[in-house]
């Protein structure tokens, strides 16, 4: 009897030679996403001028001799990169440069994510799960999904797990506890400065977080800190978040695939169906659980009037971005 061939999970990572790509590849290669017994094929996509650098990354991956890496494909052709993939992590995009308006950033990224969506539609498995990391992540995700009409919208997600992780860390530092002690923080809305970090349903060591943190701190320090954390890292480091963004993407995909721990919610920017009064047809961050490779939005969290107002401001920004990107319902 012929030996059954071991399943190899095919993953496409775009922008793989960039800082986030460089940080994320070891996480996939060591089983931190799918499991320590799951072999992976890494399809690495870059723009043509960056192929020499991508080849250098490939050399380093080879030199790591990762037991779980079955094959590495380096290419500048989207049709090759997305061929029969199970998962896609879209890191490559046009970065915001000094003096750029948001509409300028949209104009640069819209054609990139249109092309990504079309390549996914044409080449990927119809069960593919797509995580968008490149900013503006929520609207890039919307553009991509709208150009892959045969892939269910529920198979797309934009990264707000980084914001979720940032929020947990800030609360842990404030209260002198570990990040793992802080559960069920919510990130509402856009991965931008309008995002809404919310502790009203969170617990710290099993007790309500809101009872342990004063309102002044939450409004004047916590929320602005999480909203502006990316900017603060650029100012400190001279580069945008890479290590933490890669880690957030790993956390998001790991939980999406393998499930969230019982009683815990995480932040995922998913396609809105009108939950919490948010407009349909946007990728908006909600509290989610996951099981068996599918996420579920938690729809019964309490939302204060103050949070509702902030949530609507983030929704407004996303509606503006959608219009600027030219996405039609």
């Amino acid at each position: 009897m012929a030996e059954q061939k071991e399943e190899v999970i095919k993953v496409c990572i775009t922008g793989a030679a960039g800082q986030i790509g460089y940080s994320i590849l070891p996480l996939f290669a060591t089983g931190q996403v799918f499991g320590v017994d799951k072999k992976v094929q890494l399809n690495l996509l870059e723009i043509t001028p960056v192929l020499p650098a991508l080849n250098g990354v490939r050399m380093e991956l080879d030199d790591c001799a990762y037991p779980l890496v079955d094959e590495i494909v380096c290419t500048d052709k989207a049709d090759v990169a997305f061929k029969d993939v199970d998962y896609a992590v879209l890191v490559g995009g046009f970065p915001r440069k000094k003096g750029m308006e948001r509409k300028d950033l949209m104009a640069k990224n819209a054609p990139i994510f249109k092309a990504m969506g079309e390549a996914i539609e044409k080449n990927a498995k119809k069960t593919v799960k797509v995580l968008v990391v490149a900013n503006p992540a929520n609207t890039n995700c919307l553009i991509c999904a709208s150009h892959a009409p045969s892939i269910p919208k529920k198979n797309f997600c934009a990264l707000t797990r980084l914001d979720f992780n940032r929020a947990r860390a800030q609360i842990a530092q404030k209260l002198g506890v570990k990040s793992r002690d802080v559960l069920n923080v919510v990130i509402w809305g856009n991965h931008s400065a309008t995002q809404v970090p919310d502790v009203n349903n969170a617990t710290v060591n099993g007790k309500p977080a809101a009872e342990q943190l004063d309102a002044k701190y939450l409004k004047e320090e916590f929320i602005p800190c999480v909203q502006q954390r990316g900017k603060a890292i650029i100012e400190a480091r001279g580069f945008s978040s890479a290590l933490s963004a890669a880690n957030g993407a790993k956390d998001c995909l790991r939980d999406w695939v393998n499930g969230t721990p019982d009683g815990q919610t995480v932040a995922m920017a998913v396609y809105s169906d009108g939950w919490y009064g948010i407009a349909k047809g946007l990728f908006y961050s909600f509290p989610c659980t996951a099981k068996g490779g599918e996420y579920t939005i938690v729809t019964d969290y309490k939302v204060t009037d103050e949070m509702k107002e902030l949530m609507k401001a983030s929704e407004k920004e996303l509606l503006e971005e959608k219009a600027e990107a030219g996405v039609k319902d």
Side-chain angles (χ1 to χ4, degrees), residues 19-65:
Q19 289 209 50
I20 297 174
Y22 192 79
S23 299
I24 208 171
L25 289 169
L27 306 179
F28 280 90
T30 54
Q32 293 186 53
V33 179
F34 303 115
V36 294
D37 58 344
K38 304 293 186 187
K39 289 190 166 57
V40 293
Q41 174 177 317
L42 300 174
N43 289 3
L44 310 182
L45 179 66
E46 265 296 359
I47 56 175
T48 307
V50 183
L51 283 179
L54 182 62
N55 188 51
V57 173
R58 161 62 185 269
M59 291 163 67
E60 287 206 72
L61 286 170
D62 287 342
D63 293 349
C64 290

Side-chain angles (χ1 to χ4, degrees), residues 18-304:
Q19 289 209 50
I20 297 174
Y22 192 79
S23 299
I24 208 171
L25 289 169
L27 306 179
F28 280 90
T30 54
Q32 293 186 53
V33 179
F34 303 115
V36 294
D37 58 344
K38 304 293 186 187
K39 289 190 166 57
V40 293
Q41 174 177 317
L42 300 174
N43 289 3
L44 310 182
L45 179 66
E46 265 296 359
I47 56 175
T48 307
V50 183
L51 283 179
L54 182 62
N55 188 51
V57 173
R58 161 62 185 269
M59 291 163 67
E60 287 206 72
L61 286 170
D62 287 342
D63 293 349
C64 290
Y66 289 118
L68 293 179
V69 176
D70 196 70
E71 188 176 347
I72 303 166
V73 176
C74 295
T75 183
D76 59 354
K77 295 175 176 60
D79 286 349
V80 174
F82 289 109
K83 183 67 175 171
D84 295 329
V85 295
D86 301 288
Y87 300 93
V89 183
L90 307 187
V91 178
F94 193 92
R96 190 167 194 161
K97 296 188 175 177
K98 196 171 181 180
M100 280 182 77
E101 298 291 334
R102 191 178 65 194
K103 65 178 184 296
D104 301 325
L105 190 64
M106 289 291 157
K108 290 287 188 184
N109 277 288
I112 295 172
F113 284 86
K114 176 177 182 286
M116 293 297 100
E118 289 170 349
I120 289 167
E121 172 76 9
K122 179 182 172 187
N123 299 286
K125 290 180 181 174
K126 296 306 176 188
T127 53
V128 66
K129 287 183 168 61
V130 181
L131 175 61
V132 178
V133 177
N135 288 321
N138 298 54
T139 300
N140 285 344
C141 191
L142 179 64
I143 296 164
C144 184
S146 69
H147 287 92
S150 71
I151 311 292
K153 295 289 190 293
K154 68 180 177 65
N155 288 26
F156 290 82
C157 171
L159 185 69
T160 51
R161 182 60 176 264
L162 172 56
D163 309 299
F164 174 88
N165 288 347
R166 287 167 169 168
R168 290 178 81 183
Q170 288 302 313
I171 293 168
Q173 288 176 17
K174 178 69 175 175
L175 296 177
V177 299
K178 305 299 182 188
S179 295
R180 62 178 175 268
D181 300 325
V182 182
L183 303 181
N184 300 350
V185 171
V186 177
I187 304 293
W188 304 105
N190 198 5
H191 175 63
S192 75
T194 69
Q195 66 174 270
V196 187
D198 181 2
V199 303
N200 286 299
N201 298 277
T203 62
V204 179
N205 284 323
K207 297 175 183 176
E211 294 177 6
Q212 302 176 60
L213 299 157
D214 66 77
K216 187 172 188 290
Y217 161 76
L218 290 170
K219 185 175 182 178
E220 296 180 10
E221 292 183 51
F222 169 69
I223 291 176
C225 175
V226 178
Q227 289 174 331
Q228 301 292 338
R229 186 68 167 182
K231 183 181 177 185
I233 287 169
I234 290 172
E235 289 172 356
R237 207 171 88 85
F239 299 99
S240 58
S241 308
L243 181 67
S244 56
N247 182 70
K250 174 263 293 180
D251 287 349
C252 179
L253 202 51
R254 178 200 63 215
D255 287 349
W256 191 1
V257 173
N258 296 314
T260 49
D262 287 345
Q264 294 187 33
T265 60
V266 296
M268 297 176 69
V270 297
Y271 195 69
S272 172
D273 195 30
W275 304 288
Y276 294 97
I278 298 302
K280 295 183 180 182
L282 299 173
F283 278 87
Y284 191 98
S285 187
F286 293 103
C288 296
T289 59
K291 188 176 182 179
E294 302 290 339
Y295 66 77
T296 302
I297 288 81
V298 176
T299 57
D300 59 353
Y301 268 2
K302 63 183 181 186
V303 180
T304 65

Side-chain angles (χ1 to χ4, degrees), residues 188 194-196 219 276 278 284 303-317:
W188 304 105
T194 69
Q195 66 174 270
V196 187
K219 185 175 182 178
Y276 294 97
I278 298 302
Y284 191 98
V303 180
T304 65
D305 290 341
E306 184 181 11
M307 288 295 125
K308 280 179 189 170
E309 193 176 327
L310 295 172
M311 287 165 66
K312 280 293 180 183
S314 202
E315 174 196 54
K316 180 174 180 285
E317 181 181 60

